[in-house]
C-alpha cells in the first residue's frame, strides 16, 4: 500500500534511494532481513556485501537494551480490548471516506509542519480548499485503509507486526520521520469520539490508544531499519567508488 503519512504526494525533490527490499525480521532471530538482489554493491571478490555485517563478518544483532537483550515490541491489547476495537471499527467503516478527510485535514490543521512532507499540500493554506482536494481524500482513504488492516490483523500479531514494520520502512523512503507518527493516533481519537458518542467509552479509548502506541513503535522500528540499511549501502557504495578510482589511477600510472 502507499505511504499512510506521505502517500504518493511526496516531494520529488527529496527522493530517498530505495535500497530496502527486505522483509520484516522474524521473531526470535538475530539476523537482518535480506535486502534483495541488485540493491547492494559487490566486493572485490564479486560477492554482494551483506548489509548488516560487523567488521568481523558476523551479522549484527538487533538493537540491544541496556541489559544486552533485544528489545521486543509486543501487542499490548488484551482479548477484551481487541474486541472493543473491532466492534467500534465496524461502525467507523460505514463512513470511512469522510473519516479519512476529517482525520487528514485535522492533522494538517493541528500540525501544519506535517504538510512539509507533501508537495501537493504544502502551499494550500485554505483549510476548506484542502478538505475538498481529491488528493487529500485519496490520502485519507489510505490512512483509514491502514487502520482497518491493522484492526483486521489483531488476531494475527505476526502479520500486524509486518504491516506496521513495512509501512515504517516505506516512510523512510518518503522522508516522513517517526516524530509525525504519534500525531495520527491522537487526531484519530479526536475525530471518532464525537461520531461514536455514547459508544465511545474510556475503555474503548484506552484500547485504541494502546493499538496506536504499538503501531507507532513498530513503524519507528521499520523506519530505523531502513535508515540503517540506507546508510550502510551508501557507505559501501562510497568505498567501492573510492576503490575503483584508486585502481584507475594505478592503471594510468
Amino acid at each position: 500500500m502507499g505511504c499512510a503519512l506521505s502517500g504518493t504526494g511526496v516531494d520529488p525533490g527529496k527522493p530517498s534511494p530505495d535500497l530496502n527490499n527486505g522483509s520484516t525480521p522474524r521473531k526470535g532471530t538475530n539476523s537482518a532481513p535480506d535486502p534483495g538482489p541488485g540493491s547492494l554493491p559487490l566486493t572485490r571478490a564479486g560477492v554482494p556485501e551483506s548489509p548488516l555485517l560487523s567488521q568481523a563478518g558476523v551479522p549484527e544483532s538487533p538493537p540491544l537494551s541496556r541489559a544486552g537483550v533485544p528489545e521486543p515490541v509486543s501487542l499490548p491489547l488484551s482479548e477484551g480490548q481487541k474486541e472493543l476495537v473491532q466492534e467500534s471499527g465496524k461502525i467507523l467503516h460505514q463512513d470511512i471516506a469522510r473519516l479519512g478527510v476529517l482525520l487528514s485535514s485535522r492533522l494538517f490543521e493541528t500540525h501544519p509542519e506535517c504538510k512539509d512532507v507533501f508537495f501537493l499540500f504544502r502551499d494550500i493554506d485554505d483549510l476548506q480548499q484542502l478538505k475538498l482536494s481529491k488528493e487529500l481524500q485519496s490520502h485519507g482513504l489510505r490512512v483509514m485503509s491502514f487502520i482497518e488492516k491493522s484492526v483486521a490483523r489483531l488476531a494475527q500479531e505476526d502479520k500486524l507486526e509486518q504491516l506496521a514494520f513495512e509501512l515504517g520502512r516505506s516512510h523512510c523512503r518518503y522522508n516522513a520521520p517517526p516524530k509525525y507518527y504519534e500525531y495520527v493516533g491522537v487526531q484519530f481519537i479526536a475525530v471518532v469520539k464525537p461520531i461514536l458518542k455514547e459508544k465511545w467509552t474510556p475503555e474503548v479509548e484506552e484500547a485504541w490508544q494502546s493499538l496506536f502506541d504499538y503501531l507507532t513503535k513498530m513503524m519507528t522500528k521499520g523506519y530505523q531499519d531502513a535508515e540503517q540499511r540506507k546508510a550502510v549501502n551508501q557507505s559501501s557504495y562510497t568505498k567501492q567508488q573510492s576503490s575503483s578510482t584508486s585502481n584507475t589511477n594505478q592503471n594510468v600510472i
Side-chain angles (χ1 to χ4, degrees):
M1 65 176 287
C3 169
L5 178 61
S6 48
T8 57
V10 295
D11 189 342
K14 298 181 180 179
S16 293
D18 183 5
L19 302 176
N20 312 295
N21 297 321
S23 59
T24 179
R26 296 180 180 177
K27 291 183 177 180
T29 63
N30 287 334
S31 59
D34 184 359
S39 61
L40 298 175
L42 299 179
T43 63
R44 293 185 182 181
V47 180
E49 294 183 351
S50 177
L52 294 177
L53 292 183
S54 65
Q55 293 181 354
V58 180
E60 294 182 354
S61 301
L64 300 179
S65 64
R66 293 183 179 179
V69 180
E71 296 181 344
V73 179
S74 58
L75 185 62
L77 279 76
S78 66
E79 292 303 315
Q81 287 179 315
K82 292 178 183 178
E83 291 180 3
L84 290 175
V85 169
Q86 291 167 338
E87 290 172 1
S88 53
K90 291 178 182 178
I91 300 174
L92 298 175
H93 175 75
Q94 301 172 9
D95 206 7
I96 184 174
R98 186 170 73 92
L99 279 174
V101 171
L102 290 174
L103 172 58
S104 297
S105 59
R106 184 179 174 88
L107 177 64
F108 293 143
E109 181 180 11
T110 56
H111 299 283
E113 69 274 14
C114 291
K115 290 198 297 181
D116 291 340
V117 182
F118 303 82
F119 72 90
L120 289 175
F121 309 140
R122 183 179 303 160
D123 299 325
I124 302 179
D125 295 324
D126 188 326
L127 186 59
Q128 189 60 32
Q129 179 184 354
L130 188 62
K131 289 181 179 180
L132 298 176
S133 164
K134 290 183 179 180
E135 289 79 13
L136 184 75
Q137 294 172 12
S138 297
H139 170 70
L141 279 175
R142 284 192 294 272
V143 175
M144 291 304 300
S145 175
F146 167 69
I147 294 174
E148 287 200 331
K149 287 180 180 179
S150 299
V151 173
R153 288 163 173 75
L154 284 175
Q156 301 170 300
E157 187 173 343
D158 57 334
K159 292 185 177 181
L160 176 59
E161 177 182 310
Q162 182 177 11
L163 176 70
F165 186 88
E166 291 299 332
L167 184 61
R169 294 188 64 183
S170 70
H171 275 61
C172 182
R173 296 195 294 272
Y174 299 137
N175 294 307
K179 66 180 181 180
Y180 297 134
Y181 304 166
E182 64 182 40
Y183 299 160
V184 177
V186 173
Q187 299 310 319
F188 174 87
I189 290 176
V191 166
V192 303
K193 184 183 297 187
I195 294 177
L196 290 179
K197 298 179 181 179
E198 70 278 358
K199 293 183 180 179
W200 185 266
T201 65
E203 292 75 21
V204 172
E205 181 167 340
E206 182 180 359
W208 275 104
Q209 184 62 63
S210 295
L211 174 59
F212 278 108
D213 287 346
Y214 171 81
L215 295 175
T216 296
K217 291 177 181 177
M218 281 310 308
M219 286 179 63
T220 299
K221 285 174 68 71
Y223 180 97
Q224 292 171 342
D225 176 81
E227 191 174 45
Q228 182 182 21
R229 287 173 175 278
K230 182 171 64 174
V232 171
N233 287 335
Q234 289 175 340
S235 176
S236 298
Y237 178 76
T238 300
K239 291 179 181 178
Q240 183 193 29
Q241 290 296 99
S242 177
S243 176
S244 298
T245 302
S246 177
N247 291 337
T248 300
N249 291 338
Q250 290 176 2
N251 291 335
V252 171
I253 294 174

